[in-house]
Each structure stands twice: as structure tokens, then as C-alpha cells.
Amino acid sequence: MVNEEKVRLMTKLAIDETKLYKEEIEQSGYFRSDYIRAHTMKVLWAYSLSYLLLLGLVALYHLEYLFVNVVRLDIREMALLIGGGYIGILIVVIMFCILYYSAKYTRSRQNLRVYMAQLKELEEFYAKSKEGGTV
């Protein structure tokens, strides 16, 4: 005989596992610092590549000016401006990433606690079923 309550609980858990808690379950293998570090590194790689591409586009836009005035350009000042801009934005990006991924990890852990409580409920249901002799 099929126990409808058990089927409902198992179905709800299966749906929640695939839709609601999929990301949380994947993140459960990370420590907080590892999770934040891994995602921050991904963002830093993307930021660095974007900065270089944008710098290349700006250089292409001003290519004629650069060729005409190559002798008069202050390379040191230009390098400091480009490097300073990169580092300044980099610091802001790192701080934002740390705050964002820390909050995301905390939210994920809270959601995972709800999922684990539901699994515990299913486990207790099975324990009661075994004691009562029905499976």
C-alpha cells in the first residue's frame, strides 16, 4: 500500500532539489572563503580582459592622434593614468565581489538548512514507518 504522505513529501523534495536548491547543493561543497575567492577570481579575470579590450578600443579610436604625436606623448603619465584607473576600479570590484558573494553564500546556507530540515522530516517518516511495520 502506497503512503500518500510519503509520496507527497518525496515529490516535493525532488522538485525542490532540481529547481530551488540546485545551486545551494552545488555550493555546499565549498568553504565560505573558498567560495568567495573562486568567484572573485572569475570576476577579476573577466574584468581584466574587459579592461584590456576597452583600452584597445580607445587606442584604436585615437590611433591617428597617437601616431602623429608619438614623440610628444608622455608615456610615463599615460601609463600611470591607465594603471591607476585599472587598480582603482579593481579595488572597487574586489570589495563589491566580496560583499556580494558573502551575502550570496549566507543566503545559500540558509536555504540549504531548510532543505536539510525537509530531508530530516523524510528520514523521520521512514523511521516511523519501520517502527510501525509499514514501508
Side-chain angles (χ1 to χ4, degrees):
M1 184 160 134
V2 177
N3 190 333
E4 288 182 27
E5 183 180 348
K6 180 175 79 170
V7 171
R8 280 191 201 117
L9 185 58
M10 290 175 68
T11 305
K12 182 180 182 320
L13 279 170
I15 291 171
D16 287 352
E17 183 177 333
T18 57
K19 291 185 179 178
L20 297 177
Y21 301 122
K22 183 178 183 179
E23 189 175 336
E24 283 83 355
I25 292 170
E26 291 172 3
Q27 293 171 1
S28 66
Y30 287 102
F31 289 110
R32 178 187 195 96
S33 60
D34 292 337
Y35 177 77
I36 294 170
R37 186 178 306 119
H39 284 79
T40 301
M41 291 302 291
K42 288 179 189 177
V43 169
L44 292 182
W45 278 106
Y47 164 70
S48 297
L49 183 63
S50 300
Y51 193 84
L52 286 174
L53 289 174
L54 185 63
L55 188 62
L57 287 174
V58 169
L60 284 174
Y61 183 75
H62 296 287
L63 195 60
E64 182 181 351
Y65 175 80
L66 292 173
F67 278 146
V68 170
N69 299 312
V70 73
V71 177
R72 288 183 266 176
L73 289 176
D74 186 7
I75 303 296
R76 182 177 296 166
E77 182 181 329
M78 195 175 359
L80 285 174
L81 180 67
I82 292 169
Y86 175 79
I87 291 174
I89 297 171
L90 181 73
I91 291 170
V92 172
V93 167
I94 289 173
M95 292 173 67
F96 175 77
C97 283
I98 289 172
L99 292 173
Y100 175 77
Y101 286 113
S102 178
K104 188 173 180 181
Y105 185 84
T106 302
R107 245 181 288 118
S108 171
R109 283 296 177 175
Q110 290 170 350
N111 291 341
L112 196 59
R113 283 190 189 108
V114 171
Y115 177 69
M116 295 305 276
Q118 291 173 346
L119 284 177
K120 184 75 172 168
E121 183 181 333
L122 181 64
E123 185 179 319
E124 290 171 358
F125 186 81
Y126 273 113
K128 287 178 187 176
S129 296
K130 285 185 181 181
E131 289 174 6
T134 60
V135 176

